[in-house]
């Protein structure tokens, strides 16, 4: 056999000692008790060593059972931690989805707020103008006034046409009168010339 290094001894002691509950010491005591039991001279001494070995074995079994329980508990804790880890990952994924949904809701709320602000601005502009009934009433009044003005316009145009005709008749009469006066003047001149010629002959 080769030389055993300190590291190997320490490693074996850790493997034997387990979680440091004195298993190494118990095994050493068990080995010593077994050797003493083998070399015991009397029956009483052998029985005492036998009881000590049984007590040591009982302690080792108890320690082993405790270790197995701790191991099972650690396995359950590992499963529980894995479940908690999975739940946390699912919760994080759900939180990301909820955050994305909240962002969409925030964008929608901003859009709704913007629309409401535009609606309020339009409502203020609309309130500064008369309502439909008042506007129709004003349009009806303006229509009647326009109809009245149209009648007045037609009447004025008729009067203007009448005055135009009367003026035309007046101009025609003046022209005829002027021609008559010119004709009378010409006749008067001719008769004066005839009279003068008659006087000169006499």
């Amino acid at each position: 056999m080769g030389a055993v290094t300190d590291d190997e001894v320490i490693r074996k002691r850790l493997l034997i000692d387990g979680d440091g509950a004195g298993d190494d010491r118990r095994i050493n005591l068990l080995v010593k008790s077994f050797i003493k039991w083998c070399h015991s001279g009397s029956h009483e001494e052998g029985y005492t060593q036998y009881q000590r070995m049984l007590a040591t074995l009982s302690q080792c079994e108890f320690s082993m059972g405790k270790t197995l329980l701790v191991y099972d508990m650690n396995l359950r804790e590992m499963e529980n931690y894995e479940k908690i880890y999975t739940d946390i990952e699912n919760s994080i994924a759900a939180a990301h989805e909820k955050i994305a949904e909240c962002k969409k809701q925030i964008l929608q709320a901003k859009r709704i707020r913007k629309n409401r602000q535009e609606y309020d601005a339009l409502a203020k502009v609309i309130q500064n103008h008369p309502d439909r009934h008042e506007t129709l009433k004003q349009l009806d009044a303006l229509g009647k006034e326009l109809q009245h003005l149209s009648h007045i316009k037609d009447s004025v145009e008729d009067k203007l046409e009448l005055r135009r005709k009367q003026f035309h008749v007046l101009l025609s009469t003046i022209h005829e009168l002027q021609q008559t006066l010119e004709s009378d003047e010409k006749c008067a001149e001719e008769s004066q010339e005839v009279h003068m010629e008659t006087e000169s002959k006499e």
Side-chain angles (χ1 to χ4, degrees), residues 84-153:
I84 292 172
Y85 179 76
T86 304
D87 292 340
I88 290 172
E89 282 188 338
N90 293 333
S91 298
I92 291 172
H96 283 303
E97 291 179 359
K98 191 172 182 180
I99 289 170
E101 185 66 24
C102 289
K103 285 182 179 179
K104 290 180 181 179
Q105 291 178 358
I106 288 172
L107 291 175
Q108 187 176 3
K110 286 182 178 179
R111 193 161 47 246
I112 291 172
R113 182 181 177 186
K114 182 180 177 182
N115 291 337
R116 284 181 179 174
Q117 290 176 348
E118 291 178 355
Y119 294 156
D120 291 339
L122 288 173
K124 289 179 181 178
V125 172
I126 291 170
Q127 285 178 355
N128 293 329
H129 293 80
D131 58 2
R132 182 181 178 86
H133 179 70
E134 187 66 24
T135 304
L136 290 174
K137 188 176 178 182
Q138 290 179 359
L139 286 174
D140 188 46
L142 289 173
K144 290 180 180 179
E145 185 177 357
L146 182 63
Q147 189 176 5
H148 178 66
L149 291 174
S150 178
H151 289 317
I152 293 174
K153 178 187 174 186

Side-chain angles (χ1 to χ4, degrees), residues 57-106:
L57 283 172
S58 178
Q59 289 178 355
C60 290
E61 287 177 355
F62 176 76
S63 178
M64 186 179 69
K66 181 181 175 183
T67 303
L68 288 174
L69 290 174
V70 171
Y71 177 73
D72 290 338
M73 183 188 69
N74 288 333
L75 288 178
R76 287 194 297 271
E77 285 296 320
M78 287 287 292
E79 292 177 357
N80 189 28
Y81 289 148
E82 288 179 358
K83 182 180 179 182
I84 292 172
Y85 179 76
T86 304
D87 292 340
I88 290 172
E89 282 188 338
N90 293 333
S91 298
I92 291 172
H96 283 303
E97 291 179 359
K98 191 172 182 180
I99 289 170
E101 185 66 24
C102 289
K103 285 182 179 179
K104 290 180 181 179
Q105 291 178 358
I106 288 172

